[in-house]
Each structure stands twice: as structure tokens, then as C-alpha cells.
Amino acid sequence: MSGAPAPGGEPGAPPVALPALYTCRISHVRTAPRRYALRHRTYMWLIDPDHPPRLPRLLRPLARFDSRDHFGGTRPTIRAGLEAFLAAQGVELAGGRVTMLAHARVLGYVFNPLSLYWCHGPGGEPLCVVAEVHNTYGERHCYLLRPDAGGRAEVAKELYVSPFFPVDGGYSMRLPEPDERLSLTVRLNRSGGSPFTATVQGERRPATVPALLRLAVRHPWSTAVVSAAIRLHGIRLYLRGLPVRPRPHHRAQEGVK
């Protein structure tokens, strides 16, 4: 399986060549208005969107990265979509490296609740992080983040995600660029507290054909399972009496159409 060349010691570059696979443990903990927790296991890819993985022909249905799945799907490549969004925010990469964490399209289907892009300048210096959020209603929103040295950033909530929370408050995120380990935290902050926290913990694996086959057997049709699990847990919460909040109209962002 081929992809990006080794980073070659650039400042801030990951220590291992891309692409890479991460076995992930995802946890959602809700503390209000009713306590509820869910956990599941899956796997994600860390890639250079300029050099996505190229699998043998027979295995291509197990991992495909398509520009139509990101940034509105109107640009010829994922990188072009990212750069159009950044340009609308006044950010220029000037050819700098990008590292992308996401689910691949598997057996023709993909759902990415959160895709992350660590963006670097031409000298390898960190510039920003883009958090691309999709909800189950076919909407998306991209958050431009300027994390501190620890990968921490805060941003106002702009997209209706859970039907049990309105679009208010903000997120505290900890999003360090992955190395041998993946460790992400997203916390929803509202007036009176933090009623929801999501974490993703993972270990890096080489993106070899045997490793992908093992993960595909362990987590068959992984992207459809993620989408189904979100809906299933939503039904459970609804049946437990949580009120559904009205979903406001979400206006497409400039550069994400």
C-alpha cells in the first residue's frame, strides 16, 4: 500500500511516514439532562490528502478518499476544498504540509462525524487546525482553530449535531497532532456546565494490506456501523424521555458549498 513519502525530518512533522491506521476507542459521555454513555471501537486513517492511500485494485472498496465527501464536494481534490475554505478565512498554506484524520469510504459509504486537518506552513510550522463536523442530517460545518502548544482551542458551536442540544455554547477541544498515539477530546460547554464530552483514543498501526484486512474483518463496514450507532443511541435517548430541540437552518459557509 503506497501513500505519502516519509516526512524527512521537517519541523513539526510526524515521526512515521503516512498513511497510517489507528485502532480507536471512542467514548461519548452525556451528563445532562440525563446521564448516558456510549463506547465503541473502530479504526481511522491518518493521511496526507495530497497523497491518499493507493490500494491494490481488489481492496479499493475498503478504503477510498473522495473529494465529494469533504468541504461541500465541489472541488477536484480534498486539498483543493481545504484551501478554498482556508482562503475564505484569510489563511494561506503556501504549499505547506497537511495531515488529515478521517474515516475512509468503505464499500461505497462514508460518514465522518469529525474529520481533522493539521495545517502547516511551508517551513513545517503549525498554522491551524480545521475541524470538519458532519451531522446525520446531511449538514456540515468547518471550525478554524488556532490551538496552543498543547493542542487546546475553544470555539463557539455553530452546527446542530445532537437533537437533544440546541445550537448554543461552545467547544473546548484538545487536538494534538497524532504520533504513535491518538488522543482527542471535545467538550461541549453550555451555561451551567459541560453536559457532553467525546474522546478518541487510539494506537498507530502501519497502513499495510494485512493490517487493513485485519481491521476490516474486526470492524466490517465500519463507516455504516458508526452512522447506525449514532442513530440507535439517539432513539434510546428519545425513548428515555429526552426532549428534541428544534433544528435551525444551517447556512453554508463561504468556501464550503
Side-chain angles (χ1 to χ4, degrees):
M1 188 184 306
S2 59
E10 286 184 314
V16 185
L18 301 178
L21 289 160
Y22 285 85
T23 57
C24 299
R25 299 175 302 280
I26 299 175
S27 171
H28 292 181
V29 177
R30 180 187 302 267
T31 58
R34 181 187 294 270
R35 184 168 183 84
Y36 185 85
L38 69 90
R39 294 174 179 84
H40 70 272
R41 293 178 179 268
T42 187
Y43 64 95
M44 299 182 74
W45 288 83
L46 188 71
I47 71 167
D48 178 345
D50 285 323
H51 303 279
R54 294 185 294 273
L55 276 66
R57 184 177 298 274
L58 289 177
L59 297 182
R60 288 176 190 172
L62 295 181
R64 179 179 175 184
F65 294 89
D66 199 315
S67 61
R68 63 180 163 160
D69 299 325
H70 301 277
F71 300 104
T74 61
R75 304 288 173 162
T77 66
I78 296 173
R79 171 78 181 227
L82 171 64
E83 291 189 338
F85 168 73
L86 289 175
Q89 316 305 314
V91 178
E92 174 60 52
L93 293 181
R97 177 176 54 84
V98 174
T99 305
M100 172 184 176
L101 179 76
H103 292 284
R105 181 175 283 268
V106 178
L107 300 178
Y109 182 81
V110 68
F111 178 66
N112 267 298
L114 176 65
S115 303
L116 293 169
Y117 306 82
W118 287 270
C119 302
H120 301 260
E125 67 280 7
L127 286 182
C128 62
V129 175
V130 175
E132 181 185 19
V133 178
H134 291 80
N135 64 23
T136 55
Y137 305 96
E139 298 170 327
R140 77 187 74 214
H141 189 86
C142 295
Y143 296 95
L144 177 63
L145 308 171
R146 304 282 191 174
D148 63 16
R152 297 175 179 85
E154 295 190 356
V155 66
K157 181 179 177 180
E158 301 285 350
L159 178 68
Y160 182 89
V161 179
S162 167
F164 308 110
F165 289 125
V167 182
D168 66 0
Y171 294 113
S172 297
M173 303 186 185
R174 183 179 179 275
L175 308 172
E177 189 167 4
D179 45 31
E180 291 305 314
R181 291 189 57 80
L182 172 66
S183 181
L184 312 174
T185 302
V186 178
R187 179 173 290 108
L188 174 64
N189 300 316
R190 300 185 66 213
S191 176
S194 300
F196 176 83
T197 301
T199 61
V200 182
Q201 302 289 328
E203 291 80 37
R204 190 174 190 132
R205 299 287 183 268
T208 62
V209 167
L212 176 60
L213 288 173
R214 284 193 294 271
L215 288 170
V217 169
R218 193 175 302 160
H219 306 285
W221 211 7
S222 58
T223 54
V225 170
V226 168
S227 179
I230 290 172
R231 290 171 168 84
L232 175 61
H233 287 287
I235 292 170
R236 287 178 176 173
L237 288 167
Y238 177 74
L239 292 177
R240 293 185 182 189
L242 265 67
V244 173
R245 305 286 187 159
R247 177 165 61 96
H249 172 72
H250 181 259
R251 184 169 58 88
Q253 293 169 286
E254 185 178 359
V256 187
K257 297 179 180 178

